[in-house]
Amino acid sequence: MKHQTLEIITDSNQIVPAQVPLIISASRATDIPAFYTEWFFDRLAKGYSRWRNPFNGKDSYVSFANTRFIVFWSKNPAPLLPQINELQKRGIGCYIQYTLNDYEQNALEPNVPNLNFRTDTFKRLVDVLGPGAVVWRFDPLLLTEDITEDILLERVDNIARRLNGYAEKLVFSFADIASYKKVGRNLNQAGIHYREWDKPAMLSFADKLSGLNASWGLQLATCSEPISLEHFGIAHNRCIDPELIARLAPNDAVLNNFLYHARSDNGQRKHCGCILSKDIGAYNTCPHGCAYCYANTTPHSALANYYKRNPNNDSII
């Protein structure tokens, strides 16, 4: 299954072909809600955005003419709150993959707001969007000389209790540093002595997490993890999730017909369960400065790209 295409007229009066997806991902590559909300809604009003392929550097275009649902990804989606009404006016549904970690004491997320602000934002978004429309992620779970498995469990437990009555699901992944050389390099340069997860540690963590969940009552799921933890009651997640989208947009016949026939997105990682969507973000543009980030070459280069951006451009950079 592929996205349909049509011709659009760009801001510079060029006629170009554009993909016309029903579902937009905004974005796995950068934090659009935290830093690019104004850009996004400007592009939504203009009807399209430009996207650069990170592998070959070629530009293409994405039309929002048929967009019926958006999945946002963010560590600080507070800037979305004033814009939810705009989406509703356009008949566009959404939910938020909200990464809400607790690494405040470890300087791993230097530009992320404090935990109190972020948990309050989670609750405010649930009050506006409804139950299930804000998905809690503790992602990734990182082990260092200062962060043990038990410390992570304590921090997850603390957030779970804060979100009682608001969160329905917890999605997590185990930090895989070895697969991303730039991540290991950035952590080393920051003086962070990390440890890789091995299978016994993953199984031990899952067992303890499942025990804690007896008091939380959350759905537990992993993101793009090859290991099976189903015997602990932990599923493989689908972050672009047809069941959740159908639940949140039950009366959209066109969207639900698409969801009924949707297959997994083969452009994602091997163990990703997401269905087809179109991501519109750009790598190396997120200024959160997280030391473990997979999407940035370095925190400094991402910050530099953010400051040199043209907010009125049809590209995110």
Coordinates of all heavy atoms in Angstrom, one line a residue, residues 209-239:
L209 N 8.6 -4.8 36.4 CA 7.6 -3.8 35.9 C 6.2 -4.4 35.9 O 5.3 -3.7 36.3 CB 8.0 -3.4 34.5 CG 7.2 -2.3 33.8 CD1 7.5 -0.9 34.5 CD2 7.4 -2.2 32.3
S210 N 6.1 -5.6 35.5 CA 4.8 -6.2 35.5 C 4.2 -6.3 36.9 O 3.0 -6.1 37.2 CB 4.9 -7.6 34.9 OG 3.6 -8.3 34.9
G211 N 5.1 -6.6 37.9 CA 4.6 -6.6 39.3 C 4.1 -5.3 39.8 O 3.1 -5.2 40.4
L212 N 4.8 -4.2 39.4 CA 4.4 -2.9 39.8 C 3.1 -2.5 39.2 O 2.2 -1.8 39.7 CB 5.5 -1.8 39.4 CG 6.8 -1.8 40.3 CD1 7.8 -0.9 39.6 CD2 6.5 -1.3 41.7
N213 N 2.9 -3.0 37.9 CA 1.7 -2.6 37.2 C 0.4 -3.2 37.8 O -0.7 -2.8 37.4 CB 1.8 -3.1 35.7 CG 0.8 -2.5 34.8 OD1 0.5 -1.3 34.9 ND2 0.1 -3.4 34.0
A214 N 0.6 -4.1 38.7 CA -0.6 -4.7 39.4 C -1.4 -3.6 40.1 O -2.6 -3.6 40.2 CB -0.2 -5.8 40.4
S215 N -0.6 -2.5 40.5 CA -1.3 -1.4 41.2 C -1.6 -0.3 40.2 O -2.5 0.6 40.5 CB -0.4 -0.8 42.3 OG 0.8 -0.3 41.8
W216 N -1.0 -0.2 39.0 CA -1.3 0.9 38.1 C -2.4 0.5 37.2 O -3.2 1.4 36.8 CB -0.1 1.1 37.2 CG 1.3 1.4 37.9 CD1 1.5 1.9 39.1 CD2 2.5 1.1 37.3 NE1 2.8 1.9 39.4 CE2 3.5 1.5 38.3 CE3 3.0 0.6 36.1 CZ2 4.9 1.4 38.1 CZ3 4.3 0.5 35.8 CH2 5.3 0.9 36.8
G217 N -2.5 -0.8 36.7 CA -3.5 -1.2 35.8 C -3.3 -0.7 34.4 O -4.3 -0.4 33.7
L218 N -2.1 -0.4 33.9 CA -1.8 0.1 32.6 C -1.7 -1.0 31.6 O -1.3 -2.2 31.9 CB -0.6 1.0 32.6 CG -0.5 2.2 33.5 CD1 0.8 2.8 33.5 CD2 -1.6 3.2 33.0
Q219 N -1.9 -0.7 30.3 CA -1.4 -1.6 29.2 C 0.1 -1.4 29.1 O 0.5 -0.2 29.1 CB -2.1 -1.2 27.9 CG -3.6 -1.3 27.9 CD -4.2 -0.7 26.6 OE1 -3.8 -1.0 25.5 NE2 -5.2 0.1 26.8
L220 N 0.8 -2.4 29.0 CA 2.3 -2.3 28.9 C 2.7 -2.8 27.5 O 2.2 -3.8 27.0 CB 3.0 -3.2 29.9 CG 2.7 -2.8 31.4 CD1 3.5 -3.8 32.3 CD2 3.1 -1.4 31.7
A221 N 3.6 -2.1 26.9 CA 4.0 -2.4 25.5 C 5.5 -1.9 25.2 O 5.9 -0.9 25.8 CB 3.1 -1.9 24.5
T222 N 6.2 -2.7 24.4 CA 7.5 -2.3 24.0 C 7.5 -1.7 22.6 O 6.6 -2.1 21.8 CB 8.5 -3.4 24.0 OG1 8.0 -4.5 23.1 CG2 8.7 -4.0 25.4
C223 N 8.4 -0.8 22.3 CA 8.5 -0.2 20.9 C 9.7 -0.8 20.2 O 10.8 -0.6 20.6 CB 8.6 1.3 21.1 SG 8.8 2.2 19.5
S224 N 9.4 -1.4 19.1 CA 10.4 -1.9 18.2 C 11.5 -2.8 18.9 O 12.6 -2.8 18.5 CB 11.1 -0.8 17.4 OG 10.2 -0.1 16.6
E225 N 11.0 -3.6 19.8 CA 11.9 -4.5 20.5 C 11.8 -5.9 20.0 O 10.7 -6.5 19.9 CB 11.6 -4.5 22.0 CG 12.1 -3.3 22.8 CD 13.6 -3.1 22.9 OE1 14.3 -4.1 22.6 OE2 14.0 -2.0 23.2
P226 N 12.9 -6.6 19.7 CA 12.8 -8.0 19.2 C 12.5 -9.0 20.3 O 11.9 -10.0 20.0 CB 14.2 -8.2 18.6 CG 15.1 -7.3 19.3 CD 14.3 -6.0 19.5
I227 N 12.8 -8.7 21.5 CA 12.5 -9.6 22.6 C 11.0 -9.7 22.9 O 10.3 -8.7 22.8 CB 13.3 -9.2 23.9 CG1 13.2 -10.3 24.9 CG2 12.7 -7.9 24.4 CD1 14.2 -10.0 26.1
S228 N 10.6 -10.9 23.1 CA 9.2 -11.2 23.5 C 9.0 -11.2 25.0 O 9.7 -11.9 25.7 CB 8.7 -12.5 22.9 OG 7.4 -12.8 23.4
L229 N 8.1 -10.3 25.5 CA 7.9 -10.2 26.9 C 6.4 -10.5 27.2 O 5.8 -10.0 28.2 CB 8.2 -8.8 27.4 CG 9.7 -8.4 27.2 CD1 9.9 -6.9 27.6 CD2 10.7 -9.2 28.0
E230 N 5.7 -11.2 26.3 CA 4.3 -11.4 26.4 C 3.9 -12.2 27.7 O 2.8 -12.0 28.2 CB 3.8 -12.1 25.2 CG 3.8 -11.2 23.9 CD 3.3 -11.9 22.7 OE1 2.9 -13.1 22.8 OE2 3.3 -11.2 21.6
H231 N 4.8 -13.1 28.1 CA 4.5 -13.8 29.3 C 4.5 -12.9 30.6 O 4.1 -13.4 31.7 CB 5.4 -15.0 29.5 CG 6.9 -14.7 29.4 ND1 7.5 -14.2 28.3 CD2 7.9 -14.8 30.3 CE1 8.8 -14.0 28.5 NE2 9.0 -14.3 29.7
F232 N 5.0 -11.7 30.5 CA 4.9 -10.7 31.5 C 3.7 -9.8 31.3 O 3.5 -8.8 32.1 CB 6.2 -9.9 31.6 CG 7.4 -10.7 32.0 CD1 8.4 -10.8 31.0 CD2 7.6 -11.3 33.2 CE1 9.6 -11.5 31.3 CE2 8.7 -12.0 33.5 CZ 9.7 -12.1 32.5
G233 N 2.9 -10.0 30.3 CA 1.8 -9.2 30.0 C 2.2 -7.9 29.3 O 1.5 -6.9 29.3
I234 N 3.3 -8.0 28.6 CA 3.8 -6.8 27.8 C 3.8 -7.1 26.3 O 4.4 -8.1 25.8 CB 5.3 -6.5 28.3 CG1 5.3 -6.2 29.8 CG2 5.8 -5.3 27.5 CD1 6.7 -6.1 30.4
A235 N 3.0 -6.3 25.6 CA 2.8 -6.5 24.2 C 3.9 -5.8 23.3 O 4.6 -5.0 23.8 CB 1.4 -6.1 23.8
H236 N 3.9 -6.1 22.0 CA 4.6 -5.3 21.1 C 3.7 -4.2 20.6 O 2.6 -4.4 20.1 CB 5.0 -6.2 19.9 CG 6.1 -7.2 20.2 ND1 7.4 -6.8 20.4 CD2 6.0 -8.5 20.3 CE1 8.1 -7.9 20.6 NE2 7.3 -9.0 20.6
N237 N 4.2 -3.0 20.7 CA 3.3 -1.8 20.4 C 3.2 -1.5 18.9 O 4.1 -1.9 18.2 CB 3.9 -0.6 21.1 CG 2.8 0.5 21.3 OD1 1.7 0.2 21.7 ND2 3.1 1.7 20.9
R238 N 2.2 -0.8 18.6 CA 2.0 -0.3 17.3 C 1.8 1.2 17.5 O 0.7 1.7 17.8 CB 0.8 -0.9 16.5 CG 0.9 -2.4 16.4 CD -0.3 -2.9 15.6 NE -0.1 -2.8 14.2 CZ -0.9 -3.2 13.3 NH1 -2.1 -3.8 13.6 NH2 -0.7 -3.1 12.0
C239 N 2.8 2.0 17.3 CA 2.8 3.4 17.7 C 1.8 4.2 16.8 O 1.2 5.1 17.2 CB 4.2 4.0 17.8 SG 5.2 3.2 19.0

